[in-house]
Amino acid sequence: QLQLVESGGGLMHPGGSLRLSCAISGFSLDKYAIGWFRQAPGKEREGISCISVSGVNIKYAESVKGRFTITRDNGKNMVYLQMDSLKPEDTAVYYCASTFVADGINWCALRTAELFEYWGQGIQVTVSS
């Protein structure tokens, strides 16, 4: 079955770093765009980064630009989110999500969560001193 499983979250002090991983099974990653989303208590879901099938199109939310880096390894069916210079406001549940993209299309968007068909279970990231 189609599954996405996040790992690498936890507790980190402000200014520290974490790397989230998303392991994908049940389909070939080289046909799917990937997005990372987060949701803090009492707030709406926020798209923070996405990457197209071939990695040629990458986007970041202004709230994380310059601090977070998204990468993908299609051969290993893995996607990563490197989070540096963490701030308390980064505290949230983080989700990876994927959606099928037609061959040759390098689509990626942050404001279209409804287009992402498959979602991981989410993982907690807490930034606190």
Side-chain angles (χ1 to χ4, degrees):
Q1 59 180 333
L2 301 174
Q3 287 193 5
L4 298 87
V5 180
E6 302 95 338
S7 62
L11 176 65
M12 180 55 62
H13 59 82
S17 297
L18 289 171
R19 188 178 76 159
L20 302 183
S21 299
C22 179
I24 300 155
S25 62
F27 59 92
S28 297
L29 184 59
D30 62 1
K31 297 184 181 296
Y32 291 82
I34 301 295
W36 283 97
F37 300 82
R38 68 185 182 187
Q39 188 164 22
K43 296 186 177 181
E44 295 193 20
R45 180 175 53 196
E46 176 189 18
I48 56 173
S49 187
C50 64
I51 186 167
S52 63
V53 169
S54 297
V56 298
N57 289 327
I58 294 173
K59 296 178 181 176
Y60 298 98
E62 288 297 320
S63 57
V64 306
K65 189 175 183 180
R67 300 188 297 119
F68 290 10
T69 304
I70 189 171
T71 57
R72 65 189 295 160
D73 187 335
N74 290 350
K76 296 184 180 296
N77 272 21
M78 296 288 293
V79 180
Y80 307 97
L81 185 68
Q82 178 68 38
M83 306 185 295
D84 297 323
S85 301
L86 284 163
K87 304 175 180 179
E89 53 262 43
D90 294 320
T91 297
V93 176
Y94 284 70
Y95 301 87
C96 63
S98 67
T99 192
F100 176 81
V101 179
D103 289 346
I105 303 300
N106 285 284
W107 173 89
C108 169
L110 295 177
R111 298 187 180 93
T112 53
E114 69 275 9
L115 297 181
F116 286 83
E117 303 169 274
Y118 312 106
W119 291 76
Q121 79 286 353
I123 190 165
Q124 180 71 45
V125 171
T126 302
V127 183
S128 177
S129 59

